[in-house]
Amino acid sequence: MITVSVKWQKELFRDVEIDTSQPPYVFKCQLFDLTGVPPERQKIMVKGGLLKDDADWSALGVKAGQKLMMMGTADEIVKSPEKGTVFVEDLPEEEQVVSVGHTAGLFNLGNTCYMNSTLQCLHSVPELKSALIKYSHSGRNNDVDQSSHMLTIATRDLFNELDKSVKPVAPMQFWMVLRKKHPQFGQLQNGMFMQQDAEECWTNLLYTLSQSLRSPGSSESPDAVKSIFGIELVSRIHCQVSNEESSETESVYSLKCHISQEVNHLHEGLKHGLKSELEKASPVLGRSAVYLKESRINALPKYLTVQFVRFFWKRESNQKAKILRKVAYPLELDIYDLCSEDLRKKLEGPRKILRNEEGKRLGLEVSEKSSVSKENDVNMADAEGSSNGGGEPSVASTEEGEKEAQMTGIYDLVAVLTHKGRSADSGHYVGWVKQENGKWIEFDDDNPKPKVKDDITRLSGGGDWHMAYIIMYKARVVLV
C-alpha cells in the first residue's frame, strides 16, 4: 500500500492510497468517488504513457509521495431553467431513483460480477434491508466475530448507498471486508483476482448475516435471515434392506433443482432434489447400508430461493463443468405438492381464499359454499396494498389490527441470477431483478437495462447465452 497525490484540473487530492495488490482499475474507481470522473474517461499519466486498467504496478515504478496527473471530465448535471420543466437530472438523487424506476448499478472491480449480481438480488428484499438498518455498531452480539460484524455493516451501508444513487457505485469497502471474512474470494491468478462462484458468495454472505442479525434473548425473531429465507424440511430416512426408518427436521436457505435427462421443468428438478441416497452404518445389519432420504417442506419462507445444480467437478479438466440443459421455470410457482401433509392442511384455507378473490377480480362468480363469510373479515385488498407493485401481495405484518398474513404455497418470481460461460469460475454473472413498480431490470454490473417478462423466461438455458443459476420467489399471502 503506497500513498500518492493526484492533480485534477485545479484540485489536488492528497494521501490517496494505492493498493498495489489490486489492478489499477480499482484505483480508478477510488478516483471516481473523489472526482466524479468515470474510470473509462480517466487519463492518468505514468511512466511509459497512460495508466491501463490491467497494468502491473511493479512495472510502473510509482513511488510513495509521487504526484500523478489525471485528465478527464466529470459527469455533469444539467441545470434546471428558471422556469419550465424540471428534468430528472435536476432532482436530488433520492428522487432521481424514484423517477428512473430502479437503483444504481455496481462497478466491476476486476472479476467481481459474481459479487455484484448476488448483491443486486439480495438488495431487492425489503425485509433484509430493514433488518440491516436496525443493526448498529453498538448492537453487535458478543458471539459475532469482528470480521462478520464489519461485513454486516458494509452490506448495510452499500444497500443504503444503492437506494440513494442513480450513478454506479464502487463497492470497494464491501469487497475488502468480504475478502477478509472469506479469504477464498481473494484468490489471485497472474496478479488478477479470480472469478468466483456466485452461489458460494450468496451462501457465505447469508450465513454471515444470519449470525450477525440474530437477536439474543428474543423469542419473537431470533434469526432475521431465517425468518426471511428459512425453509423447514421434514425427512423420512428408510433402509430397504433392514426396514429401518427414522425422521429428521432441518432448516435450509434454498432448495436444489437437480438436472438430469428427465428434467425439463423446475418442478421436476425440485422433486429430484428432495430425494437422495446416503450411506451410513446400520445398527441392525452391523455394516454400512444405503438409505433413501425423502424430504418434504414443513414450513414456508417469505422468499424462496432455488439453486439450479448446473456445475459438477470434471476430473479430466480439473474444474467445475457446466450442464447447459434447458430447464424452464415459471413466473408463478406453486409448491403445494412438495409440502408435508400437515402443511398442506394449513394451506387449504388460505388457498381457497386466494382463488375466490382472484376469481372476483376476473369477474367470475363464486359459490356461496366456497365463498368466505364476512365474519372471517378477509381482505385481499390489504394484502395488495403491501405488494411489490406487480399485483403480488407481500408478507405483511401481523400488527395491523388482528389480521395475520398466511401463506398460500404460491410464489412470484422477483429475481434471477444468471451465468454465461462453461465454468463456474469463469464467464460472466448478471442479476435480473423485479422492481417495486413491477418492471424488470437487468443489472449487468454498472449498466442497468430495462427488460420485459419474456426476456426473463428466456434465461432457462440450452446454449451459451445467460441461463438461470439462482432464482428467488416472493410468497403470495392473504390477510385473515
Side-chain angles (χ1 to χ4, degrees):
M1 188 79 75
I2 60 174
T3 303
V4 298
S5 59
V6 179
K7 179 75 165 61
W8 175 67
Q9 295 182 356
K10 296 181 180 181
E11 298 186 60
L12 179 65
F13 299 95
R14 302 180 185 276
D15 300 326
V16 181
E17 293 184 341
I18 297 179
D19 187 346
T20 53
S21 67
Q22 299 180 12
Y25 185 79
V26 175
F27 175 59
K28 290 185 176 183
C29 289
Q30 292 175 251
L31 296 181
F32 170 70
D33 287 338
L34 292 172
T35 64
V37 180
E40 62 272 14
R41 292 191 199 167
Q42 295 177 19
K43 294 182 180 179
I44 302 171
M45 306 301 297
V46 292
K47 178 182 176 181
L50 297 177
L51 179 64
K52 296 183 179 179
D53 292 350
D54 57 352
D56 183 358
W57 284 113
S58 61
L60 297 176
V62 177
K63 299 178 181 179
Q66 183 174 337
K67 181 190 289 186
L68 300 177
M69 182 74 69
M70 186 184 86
M71 295 180 288
T73 56
D75 287 331
E76 296 182 359
I77 297 179
V78 180
K79 295 182 179 180
S80 59
E82 294 181 5
K83 294 181 181 180
T85 305
V86 177
F87 295 96
V88 172
E89 293 88 343
D90 301 320
L91 298 171
E93 283 215 61
E94 292 88 342
E95 294 182 30
Q96 288 186 39
V97 172
V98 176
S99 179
V100 170
H102 62 79
T103 52
L106 290 165
F107 279 116
N108 191 317
L109 304 179
N111 287 329
T112 58
C113 58
Y114 70 92
M115 179 186 78
N116 290 350
S117 54
T118 294
L119 287 168
Q120 292 289 9
C121 290
L122 293 177
H123 173 252
S124 70
V125 180
E127 292 86 346
L128 180 60
K129 288 195 284 188
S130 178
L132 285 166
I133 290 172
K134 295 175 184 175
Y135 185 84
S136 63
H137 294 271
S138 59
R140 176 186 168 192
N141 187 343
N142 292 330
D143 296 332
V144 177
D145 61 88
Q146 180 65 17
S147 59
S148 296
H149 171 67
M150 293 306 297
L151 183 56
T152 306
I153 292 294
T155 306
R156 182 198 66 189
D157 293 347
L158 179 58
F159 281 7
N160 185 51
E161 190 174 359
L162 285 174
D163 281 333
K164 294 182 178 180
S165 178
V166 289
K167 294 180 181 178
V169 174
M172 282 295 304
Q173 182 63 26
F174 177 89
W175 189 39
M176 289 192 296
V177 178
L178 176 69
R179 284 181 287 137
K180 186 173 183 180
K181 173 61 183 175
H182 302 289
Q184 66 267 36
F185 298 118
Q187 292 176 308
L188 294 171
Q189 187 176 49
N190 300 325
M192 298 286 289
F193 284 101
M194 295 173 59
Q195 177 70 284
Q196 300 291 337
D197 189 334
E199 189 275 331
E200 291 181 11
C201 180
W202 185 301
T203 300
N204 279 287
L205 178 56
L206 275 191
Y207 177 77
T208 300
L209 295 180
S210 71
Q211 302 302 304
S212 303
L213 300 179
R214 180 177 287 122
S215 303
S218 172
S219 58
E220 294 182 2
S221 181
D223 185 342
V225 173
K226 185 177 180 180
S227 70
I228 299 170
F229 300 101
I231 309 164
E232 183 181 294
L233 297 177
V234 59
S235 303
R236 172 180 173 266
I237 304 171
H238 176 70
C239 177
Q240 293 181 332
V241 179
S242 64
N243 285 325
E244 295 170 81
E245 188 171 309
S246 61
S247 62
E248 67 177 28
T249 302
E250 60 182 319
S251 182
V252 297
Y253 289 148
S254 67
L255 296 179
K256 307 295 183 185
C257 175
H258 285 266
I259 303 174
S260 65
Q261 292 297 324
E262 297 78 33
V263 174
N264 297 302
H265 193 273
L266 171 64
H267 217 274
E268 297 166 341
L270 289 176
K271 286 182 177 179
H272 280 276
L274 291 174
K275 291 182 180 179
S276 61
E277 288 186 348
L278 58 149
E279 186 175 341
K280 64 176 183 175
S282 168
V284 174
L285 301 175
R287 60 176 175 82
S288 292
V290 176
Y291 290 76
L292 177 64
K293 181 179 179 181
E294 296 181 285
S295 302
R296 287 288 179 267
I297 301 170
N298 204 43
L300 296 171
K302 297 176 182 177
Y303 288 82
L304 176 67
T305 305
V306 178
Q307 179 207 349
F308 289 89
V309 186
R310 289 198 173 276
F311 297 104
F312 65 97
W313 190 257
K314 196 172 184 179
R315 291 182 180 179
E316 302 86 68
S317 58
N318 200 33
Q319 66 178 2
K320 291 180 183 176
K322 186 176 180 181
I323 301 172
L324 301 177
R325 183 178 180 82
K326 180 178 180 179
V327 180
Y329 56 88
L331 294 173
E332 177 186 305
L333 178 67
D334 189 348
I335 58 171
Y336 178 79
D337 62 338
L338 303 180
C339 298
S340 66
E341 288 297 329
D342 289 343
L343 181 54
R344 288 186 191 184
K345 291 177 182 177
K346 295 177 183 177
L347 294 176
E348 286 176 0
R351 287 170 70 85
K352 184 180 291 185
I353 294 168
L354 184 62
R355 284 195 299 269
N356 290 341
E357 292 300 324
E358 288 180 344
K360 290 178 182 177
R361 284 202 296 270
L362 294 172
L364 303 176
E365 292 185 7
V366 180
S367 64
E368 293 183 7
K369 184 177 180 180
S370 63
S371 65
V372 181
S373 66
K374 294 181 180 179
E375 295 175 0
N376 286 338
D377 192 25
V378 178
N379 193 339
M380 279 295 294
D382 290 344
E384 290 169 10
S386 58
S387 74
N388 64 1
E392 303 92 9
S394 62
V395 177
S397 170
T398 58
E399 296 177 1
E400 184 184 341
E402 296 181 357
K403 294 179 182 179
E404 181 179 353
Q406 295 193 1
M407 295 286 186
T408 62
I410 298 174
Y411 285 81
D412 294 287
L413 188 67
V414 292
V416 180
L417 188 153
T418 60
H419 178 264
K420 180 182 180 182
R422 295 286 176 132
S423 171
D425 301 325
S426 63
H428 186 55
Y429 291 97
V430 171
W432 313 66
V433 180
K434 191 175 186 180
Q435 305 299 292
E436 290 185 358
N437 58 15
K439 296 181 180 179
W440 284 90
I441 298 294
E442 174 194 358
F443 286 98
D444 187 355
D445 289 327
D446 59 331
N447 186 24
K449 304 174 202 169
K451 294 294 176 180
V452 296
K453 288 182 180 180
D454 287 346
D455 294 323
I456 307 305
T457 54
R458 291 193 190 105
L459 304 171
S460 52
D464 284 333
W465 178 238
H466 288 283
M467 61 185 70
Y469 184 31
I470 301 173
I471 56 179
M472 186 168 66
Y473 287 89
K474 182 178 182 179
R476 192 181 295 185
V477 303
V478 292
L479 297 183
V480 181

